[in-house]
Amino acid sequence: MKRVLITGGTVFVSRFAATWFAENGYEVFVLNRGNHLQPENTTLIKADRHQLGDRLKHLSFDAVLDITAYDAQDVHDLLNALGPFDDYILISSSAVYPENLSQPFVETQPVGPNTIWGKYGTDKIAAEQELLKSVPNAYILRPPYLYGPMQNLYREPFVFDCAVQGRPFYIPKDGKMPLQFFHVEDLCRFIHLILQNHPSDHIFNVGNRETVDINTFVKLCYEAANCPLSVQHVFSHPNQRDYFPFHNYSYVLDTTRQNKLLVQQKDLLQGLKESFLWYQSHPEDAPKRGYLAFIDQNFQ
């Protein structure tokens, strides 16, 4: 039984990962401040990652899954506190690629500032660099939009709300902007494959092979909720983030490296059905934003 340390464990990706690895034969330790309900069948290390002292020095791990590192200090403090470990996997972000690079983005392209993602992207770059400075054989994963059960962002849940309320959906412009997704279970499966196979590549774009445009994504969300769809296209309003949960930013990741290991991926419609069922019974997981109020005030 492999022993893994997962940072977080209480919100979306880290919560799903802790549950998934525990259910798939791993001994799971979660590191968080103990302020939320903990995943079942895991061992809590109740601490702030910036104030660990010697809490981890006596423990050894087959892998550290660092899901909640957002900047270099996060990585630095955890590394300084760890005892022995074999593998370190950092969940970074596709926000590390400057938007002016040729697409699809590949792992060999240089990272740099991205004006859409701003500080979030540059902090993720710093986290990657801090890790590789100390653990050059670490693995770094760069996902696009993650989705699935336990979602804590009001993305697909917003579309579900529109669907179940019988609302038309307001789509930016012609709706042909591509979006790339990755189901949180596929992320866990890929991490599992890395730990099994130890591939020679150490930086991976992760995501679905195929992108979908906004039109298709909205259609699939309504289908997942088993609701009829009517659409209104918005051409005049300048800021789509006022009424739509994704930036006006089109990017595509090349996932060739990933696909050599992760041969099968979850169908997007099936994944959205799983996300919808979770959201129906856990509506508090994804706090609502003001999209509906804006739509009612400006588009009705």
Side-chain angles (χ1 to χ4, degrees), residues 1-42:
M1 179 183 291
K2 285 185 179 290
R3 172 184 280 198
V4 298
L5 173 67
I6 295 179
T7 59
T10 60
V11 176
F12 190 29
V13 180
S14 64
R15 180 182 177 189
F16 189 100
T19 301
W20 190 92
F21 280 95
E23 291 176 347
N24 283 272
Y26 287 75
E27 182 182 5
V28 176
F29 291 74
V30 291
L31 171 62
N32 61 69
R33 288 170 288 188
N35 295 329
H36 301 281
L37 184 67
Q38 301 299 318
E40 293 184 359
N41 301 315
T42 64

Side-chain angles (χ1 to χ4, degrees), residues 269-291:
L269 176 58
Q270 177 59 37
L272 288 170
K273 287 180 178 179
E274 295 172 7
S275 186
F276 175 69
L277 289 174
W278 177 269
Y279 182 60
Q280 273 191 309
S281 56
H282 301 82
E284 73 286 350
D285 278 16
K288 300 182 190 308
R289 300 187 63 175
Y291 305 132

Side-chain angles (χ1 to χ4, degrees), residues 7-209:
T7 59
T10 60
V11 176
F12 190 29
V13 180
S14 64
R15 180 182 177 189
F16 189 100
T19 301
W20 190 92
F21 280 95
E23 291 176 347
N24 283 272
Y26 287 75
E27 182 182 5
V28 176
F29 291 74
V30 291
L31 171 62
N32 61 69
R33 288 170 288 188
N35 295 329
H36 301 281
L37 184 67
Q38 301 299 318
E40 293 184 359
N41 301 315
T42 64
T43 300
L44 171 64
I45 302 172
K46 185 177 178 180
D48 187 310
R49 70 183 294 156
H50 301 296
Q51 299 173 355
L52 285 165
D54 60 358
R55 294 286 304 278
L56 302 179
K57 290 298 185 183
H58 68 290
L59 297 172
S60 63
F61 299 101
D62 295 292
V64 175
L65 310 184
D66 197 351
I67 298 174
T68 61
Y70 290 97
D71 58 31
Q73 195 66 49
D74 289 343
V75 173
H76 177 271
D77 289 351
L78 182 59
L79 284 175
N80 279 352
L82 284 168
F85 64 91
D86 293 332
D87 291 303
Y88 195 119
I89 299 179
L90 172 69
I91 306 302
S92 183
S93 171
S94 55
V96 301
Y97 295 112
E99 72 268 33
N100 58 2
L101 294 178
S102 61
Q103 295 191 34
F105 296 143
V106 296
E107 295 90 344
T108 54
Q109 288 176 305
V111 297
N114 181 302
T115 61
I116 303 297
W117 296 110
K119 186 175 184 296
Y120 172 77
T122 53
D123 281 350
K124 282 289 192 180
I125 293 170
E128 290 186 7
Q129 293 171 343
E130 180 68 22
L131 175 59
L132 294 177
K133 184 171 64 177
S134 301
V135 189
N137 65 338
Y139 289 96
I140 292 171
L141 310 186
R142 296 170 176 168
Y145 295 114
L146 291 165
Y147 79 106
M150 307 186 189
Q151 173 68 275
N152 70 319
L153 297 175
Y154 198 46
R155 289 175 177 164
E156 69 268 21
F158 164 63
V159 188
F160 296 150
D161 278 348
C162 292
V164 298
Q165 293 176 28
R167 290 172 171 265
F169 196 84
Y170 289 83
I171 289 181
K173 301 182 176 62
D174 61 5
K176 294 183 179 179
M177 186 185 85
L179 298 167
Q180 192 169 17
F181 293 95
F182 200 44
H183 195 281
V184 66
E185 183 177 359
D186 282 342
L187 178 67
C188 293
R189 291 175 53 235
F190 186 65
I191 293 171
H192 171 69
L193 290 169
I194 288 176
L195 297 179
Q196 283 187 317
N197 295 280
H198 290 97
S200 57
D201 291 317
H202 283 260
I203 298 177
F204 289 90
N205 293 335
V206 294
N208 292 351
R209 290 181 180 84

Side-chain angles (χ1 to χ4, degrees), residues 145 177-181 210-214 217 244 246 251:
Y145 295 114
M177 186 185 85
L179 298 167
Q180 192 169 17
F181 293 95
E210 304 295 334
T211 62
V212 295
D213 64 14
I214 294 172
F217 172 68
F244 184 70
F246 297 95
Y251 70 96

